[in-house]
Amino acid sequence: MAELKLPRHVAMIMDGNGRWAKKRFLPRTAGHKAGVDAFVEMTDACNELGIEYLTVYAFSTENWNRSQEEVSALMELMVKGIAKYEPEMQKRNIKLKILGDLSRFEDKYRDPILDVQQRLSKNTGMVVSICLSYGGRQEIVYAVNKLLKEGRSEITADDIGENLYSAGMPDPDLIIRTSGEYRTSNFLLWQSAYSEYYFADVFWPDFNREELNKALEAYSKRERRYGR
């Protein structure tokens, strides 16, 4: 991949776990478990390629509308998956960031995730951001309200950017969505103003290194003009 023009920041909408499981006559939780494995593989792949930032959409504000059973299963998988992968992230000098409103999480889910984030906070390698209880509109409202509480009467675009969950990170160069859907689904609405999109037909658990290479090759051929 050395000859390609690689993005600095890749973001991924990990879509299709449930449909992947249904196609195999498995419970939805099996799809989510396979999705965690795909996330680990993509993190390793991006890290090996030298991509500096990886941001994944793991649980949206709208996902709270799913059944309590599925939400709880998702939370358990995320906590266990992050804990299991922590030693490898530490070994690879990967920094973990959690983006979103964690106030709705039960302590038994929120605290272990934040503990891992803290333990990896001093790492200086690739930054992996996991969006949990995240919504793009909600994030913009969060930034504006934060500025209003500071007594600001006039707000600039730079002000908002500096108060988003992702403050300090570059905007994503490439956003990949799996499962053949063509929607942004309230993901990084502010940050994606000039991002390139790539839509893959495979479900997230089947998104492997070969599929990632296809996305990176497509990105490498594009000319980014930023409105010029």
Side-chain angles (χ1 to χ4, degrees):
M1 302 296 291
E3 72 279 6
L4 295 182
K5 177 184 64 180
L6 292 177
R8 185 183 180 198
H9 184 176
V10 174
M12 297 181 174
I13 301 174
M14 307 184 295
D15 193 21
N17 291 345
R19 281 168 287 166
W20 180 91
K22 183 178 180 180
K23 185 178 178 181
R24 290 162 176 75
F25 303 100
L26 297 170
R28 288 177 64 86
T29 51
H32 294 314
K33 185 177 185 302
V36 172
D37 293 339
F39 158 71
V40 171
E41 182 180 2
M42 283 304 98
T43 301
D44 288 344
C46 289
N47 188 50
E48 290 164 13
L49 287 167
I51 291 169
E52 296 177 48
Y53 295 85
L54 173 66
T55 300
V56 297
Y57 204 7
F59 190 86
S60 72
T61 50
E62 291 76 20
N63 288 158
W64 289 109
N65 296 321
R66 297 183 180 184
S67 70
Q68 183 58 51
E69 180 183 10
E70 183 175 358
V71 169
S72 296
L74 269 168
M75 296 298 155
E76 291 282 355
L77 279 170
M78 281 188 280
V79 170
K80 291 178 180 177
I82 291 171
K84 183 179 179 181
Y85 191 44
E86 180 187 355
E88 192 64 29
M89 286 192 283
Q90 196 71 265
K91 178 182 175 182
R92 296 181 181 228
N93 196 29
I94 293 172
K95 183 174 185 175
L96 177 68
K97 293 187 72 173
I98 304 299
L99 310 183
D101 177 13
L102 300 190
S103 64
R104 294 183 65 178
F105 280 58
E106 294 180 52
D107 291 349
K108 65 179 180 179
Y109 300 131
R110 179 178 62 247
D111 293 348
I113 292 173
L114 292 180
D115 287 345
V116 174
Q117 176 181 246
Q118 177 59 35
R119 287 193 290 270
L120 298 175
S121 63
K122 293 183 180 179
N123 288 351
T124 57
M126 181 174 72
V127 177
V128 175
S129 299
I130 303 178
C131 295
L132 297 175
S133 192
Y134 174 89
R137 288 179 174 178
Q138 166 240 340
E139 181 182 25
I140 295 168
V141 170
Y142 164 84
V144 171
N145 281 333
K146 189 177 174 184
L147 289 161
L148 291 174
K149 287 176 183 176
E150 294 174 0
R152 302 290 292 275
S153 59
E154 192 170 313
I155 297 171
T156 67
D158 285 344
D159 292 333
I160 293 176
E162 291 166 4
N163 285 276
L164 297 171
Y165 297 132
S166 62
M169 294 166 51
D171 291 340
D173 303 293
L174 172 64
I175 298 179
I176 299 169
R177 181 173 187 142
T178 59
S179 85
E181 301 292 347
Y182 296 83
R183 296 187 298 274
T184 60
S185 292
N186 201 18
F187 182 54
L188 300 178
L189 297 182
W190 183 274
Q191 300 90 329
S192 64
Y194 286 102
S195 301
E196 296 291 326
Y197 275 84
Y198 178 87
F199 299 97
D201 289 331
V202 300
F203 297 131
W204 173 249
D206 291 328
F207 192 83
N208 53 26
R209 290 171 186 253
E210 181 181 352
E211 294 294 336
L212 175 63
N213 288 346
K214 290 179 186 177
L216 295 175
E217 286 170 7
Y219 171 83
S220 186
K221 295 173 184 176
R222 299 183 189 179
E223 181 183 354
R224 304 184 71 193
R225 301 187 187 88
Y226 300 97
R228 292 190 295 272

